[in-house]
Amino acid sequence: MVDEERLQRIKAGAFLASVAGLSAFIGFSATLSVAKKSDPKYFNKGLHSSAELADAGAILALRALGWGTLYAIGGTTCLCYGIWKLSGAKDLKDFRMKMGNLLPVLPKNNPPQSRTEFSGMNDLLTYISEEYGKK
């Protein structure tokens, strides 16, 4: 049972790492192609020690940062709006109730089943290392 859970976590981590790597590669490639299309003269010259090219590189970097920020905000907005619409919620309270019914319930820890007060970071890390794997 423990080996299956560990294998599942490794597979999930590998999947997330591959998706993140692929999206970073695609994002970098897209930004590079946009930069090449917008300023082919400076892009093809490469990096030299002239101040003119350094300024052009800074401008391209700021432009890439701007587009990246726009894509990140737009993508997150579309994702959140899509989840909202797919849930069929009318308002925030309705959305909260629908997600509460859909997601698993976290168990209450009252009274606490383990230590909650520590004298310092060393005490906390010692406790975690000793208790790991007992449950």
Side-chain angles (χ1 to χ4, degrees):
M1 185 69 174
V2 174
D3 290 337
E4 290 177 17
E5 183 179 329
R6 185 169 184 257
L7 183 63
Q8 183 66 21
R9 285 185 180 183
I10 290 172
K11 285 181 182 179
F15 174 73
L16 288 175
S18 63
V19 168
L22 185 64
S23 63
F25 177 73
I26 291 172
F28 181 74
S29 300
T31 302
L32 203 58
S33 67
V34 168
K36 188 174 183 176
K37 285 180 185 177
S38 65
D39 285 333
K41 173 184 157 192
Y42 291 119
F43 188 85
N44 290 330
K45 281 187 178 181
L47 294 176
H48 297 290
S49 60
S50 71
E52 179 183 332
L53 287 176
D55 289 343
I59 290 170
L60 286 174
L62 283 174
R63 188 179 304 152
L65 179 65
W67 280 108
T69 303
L70 180 70
Y71 289 150
I73 292 172
T76 304
T77 302
C78 289
L79 179 69
C80 293
Y81 183 73
I83 291 171
W84 175 279
K85 284 300 178 184
L86 286 174
S87 73
K90 306 271 187 279
D91 57 4
L92 191 58
K93 186 175 182 181
D94 189 27
F95 181 73
R96 183 181 157 280
M97 295 305 289
K98 287 185 182 217
M99 289 298 112
N101 292 334
L102 182 68
L103 297 172
V105 177
L106 296 176
K108 299 276 187 215
N109 192 21
N110 194 8
Q113 304 296 318
S114 59
R115 288 180 57 188
T116 58
E117 297 293 326
F118 300 96
S119 62
M121 185 61 89
N122 197 16
D123 187 26
L124 171 66
L125 293 176
T126 304
Y127 174 74
I128 290 172
S129 66
E130 291 172 356
E131 293 296 317
Y132 182 76
K134 285 187 178 179
K135 294 182 181 181

